[in-house]
Amino acid sequence: MRDILIILSLAGALASCATPQLGPPPQPLSPAAERGLQFVTRSCGGCHAVGYSGHSANAVAPPFASVRMRHTAIGLERSLAQIAREGHGEMPPIYMTAAEMQDIVAYIESLEPVAEGPGHGPATHKAAL
């Protein structure tokens, strides 16, 4: 019985790491931003904090709220196109259509800029998503 409780506790701790930290959005999301949120929650939320707050499960994966501060919409589209083709760092290529990339940009643009924490500054992740 004790072993089962330990296993359940560990499973719960691991599941909480992969759960995106979503606070209330600062404003209602557009349909494109909502689709972008759904995509990044599925495809990116295991490593990145994709919500309006929270820390990434992978320490080298910047939270999307800090990505918002480092990229323009055009820069984001270029970075996403590169990630779709080649991946980035530890991140494998992720298949995205042009429409999905636009939805992701719409979502990231909806995030309010937040202060970056240690290890997530521009010197550490200049071109990282």
Side-chain angles (χ1 to χ4, degrees):
M1 181 67 163
R2 181 177 163 233
D3 291 338
I4 292 172
L5 290 175
I6 291 172
I7 291 170
L8 290 174
S9 296
L10 289 173
L14 288 173
S16 69
C17 289
T19 304
Q21 299 292 321
L22 296 175
Q27 69 268 348
L29 294 177
S30 69
E34 184 62 42
R35 289 189 304 269
L37 171 59
Q38 291 170 9
F39 184 95
V40 299
T41 299
R42 277 190 323 270
S43 300
C44 312
C47 294
H48 291 270
V50 299
Y52 298 93
S53 63
H55 298 284
S56 297
N58 182 337
V60 299
F64 277 25
S66 70
V67 168
R68 164 72 172 87
M69 292 177 21
R70 291 193 306 264
H71 292 280
T72 63
I74 293 170
L76 279 171
E77 284 189 48
R78 288 181 182 150
S79 292
L80 291 169
Q82 179 181 0
I83 289 167
R85 287 188 314 272
E86 305 165 12
H88 179 80
E90 296 177 15
M91 190 170 31
I94 299 171
Y95 176 77
M96 296 175 258
T97 66
E100 288 169 330
M101 287 184 222
Q102 291 173 350
D103 292 344
I104 293 166
V105 170
Y107 171 66
I108 292 174
E109 287 287 306
S110 78
L111 297 172
E112 291 292 318
V114 297
E116 296 184 21
H120 292 110
T124 308
H125 297 285
K126 251 182 201 169
L129 239 188

